[in-house]
Amino acid sequence: MPVVHVRGKRATQPLPVSSENNAMNLVRSIISGFLFVVLAVVTAGWRWTMLHTIPHAGGARVALSLCGVAACICLCVLWSVRATPATKQGQSTT
Amino acid sequence: MQNFSGVCQIPRPIAEQSWMQRINGPWHKQSLWIYMAIVLAHWAEHLAQATQVYVLGWPIPDSRGVLGIWFPWMIKSEALHYGYALVMLIGLWLLRKGFVGQSYRWWMIAFWIQFWHHIEHAILQSQVLLHHNLFRAPVPMSLIQLIVPRVELHLFYNTIVFIPMVIAMFFHMFPLPGEEAHAGCSCAWQTRHATVAS
């Protein structure tokens, strides 16, 4: 039986694939939840700048839009990660 | 750039490690938890302020986030947000060596963005300390504030610092294939082979 380290502790069995995937999905779901809050604030800000006359309204909309784009890119990066076969078998490729 | 060639290093006993080695090794997870709590407290200030302005319709000078409601001097003196910017910058620098590969690249992107964010806050803080506002403005002004209002500008700064930081943490917890998790810390979730197999 190969000796493995699980979360820094010595163990003799690799974690099941489902456990790792569940953990990954939980972590990225929490991050995604936060990003949706940011997107909601960005949307509210966009609406507010449309309804109010403020100096540099164009700059405000550009900044808010870039926030939204960045949040969407983050969501794409997080959810594009898949557990690879090597990872699934608990094998390092190095 | 950190080495992640696949050669595992055997960590030194904790008693022989320096403080920097400990926070990037056996204490890395705890350090990141504390750091993330600070980052989220900073976010709470900005999200609360944005909600006060955009949703509750408060005047911008009265929209002081969370702590600024009870301690207005923290906002007027720029101390609160300068403090957050400085602590975040120092944290990004101190905790960088615990990251490897892709996670290190994302972490350093966050560091350099935060470096500029901190410069902007330092400009604001210096105006308060010198009692002299730039551009003859009635309030302290940062450079980019000339084209983007402050509330939106700092929402933007915090978003573009937070996103690479959180991606770095994600790749640190779930390292990509070919990138070994840091030998000294226990942040990685997935299984890893030890250097010696039985």
Side-chain angles (χ1 to χ4, degrees):
Chain A
M1 178 64 65
V3 178
V4 295
H5 281 187
V6 180
R7 305 189 69 193
K9 293 176 182 170
R10 191 180 163 94
T12 52
Q13 289 286 338
L15 281 171
V17 177
S18 60
S19 169
E20 185 192 324
N21 281 341
N22 288 344
M24 187 185 281
N25 287 335
L26 175 66
V27 169
R28 55 189 170 188
S29 295
I30 292 168
I31 298 169
S32 301
F34 185 85
L35 292 173
F36 282 119
V37 171
V38 172
L39 284 170
V41 168
V42 164
T43 307
W46 242 96
R47 187 171 162 274
W48 185 83
T49 58
M50 299 296 279
L51 295 173
H52 294 78
T53 306
I54 57 165
H56 309 302
R61 283 182 213 125
V62 169
L64 290 168
S65 301
L66 290 174
C67 285
V69 169
C72 291
I73 290 171
C74 186
L75 287 170
C76 292
V77 170
L78 291 177
W79 289 97
S80 65
V81 176
R82 294 278 183 273
T84 61
T87 309
K88 283 179 180 176
Q89 292 162 17
Q91 294 172 345
S92 171
T93 55
T94 55
Chain B
M1 183 59 63
Q2 303 262 311
N3 175 26
F4 52 97
S5 61
V7 179
C8 286
Q9 293 177 337
I10 298 171
R12 291 158 61 189
I14 192 165
E16 294 176 15
Q17 292 180 353
S18 67
W19 183 77
M20 270 292 281
Q21 287 171 324
R22 288 179 194 181
I23 63 167
N24 284 287
W27 297 348
H28 198 227
K29 185 194 275 185
Q30 291 83 351
S31 305
L32 286 176
W33 273 111
I34 294 168
Y35 184 70
M36 187 49 89
I38 294 168
V39 170
L40 290 177
H42 188 198
W43 255 120
E45 293 287 340
H46 284 284
L47 291 176
Q49 185 191 39
T51 305
Q52 287 158 2
V53 176
Y54 301 148
V55 180
L56 302 177
W58 293 9
I60 291 175
D62 295 338
S63 305
R64 295 189 293 266
V66 181
L67 290 175
I69 297 291
W70 291 283
F71 310 104
W73 63 269
M74 283 186 163
I75 301 296
K76 287 184 178 171
S77 67
E78 299 283 347
L80 181 67
H81 286 279
Y82 182 71
Y84 273 128
L86 187 61
V87 167
M88 282 178 64
L89 184 69
I90 292 170
L92 281 165
W93 183 252
L94 291 180
L95 297 171
R96 75 192 188 285
K97 288 189 175 176
F99 293 86
V100 293
Q102 279 286 350
S103 66
Y104 180 80
R105 282 187 207 103
W106 284 103
W107 191 258
M108 290 311 288
I109 289 170
F111 170 78
W112 287 113
I113 297 170
Q114 181 61 21
F115 183 80
W116 171 251
H117 184 194
H118 168 263
I119 296 287
E120 289 265 272
H121 273 292
I123 291 170
L124 291 165
Q125 184 67 78
S126 61
Q127 289 170 71
V128 173
L129 294 175
L130 298 172
H131 302 290
H132 180 79
N133 295 338
L134 291 176
F135 317 115
R136 299 184 181 186
V139 291
M141 291 276 286
S142 66
L143 299 179
I144 310 298
Q145 233 177 294
L146 290 170
I147 52 173
V148 180
R150 179 160 180 168
V151 174
E152 290 78 15
L153 178 61
H154 285 270
L155 265 181
F156 170 68
Y157 276 143
N158 283 288
T159 304
I160 62 168
V161 170
F162 180 77
I163 283 174
M165 182 194 303
V166 85
I167 292 174
M169 288 184 179
F170 183 78
F171 284 141
H172 187 56
M173 282 185 76
F174 306 101
L176 292 171
E179 293 180 357
E180 290 214 321
H182 190 257
C185 79
S186 59
C187 302
W189 187 279
Q190 70 184 42
T191 56
R192 284 179 282 150
H193 272 257
T195 49
V196 181
S198 61

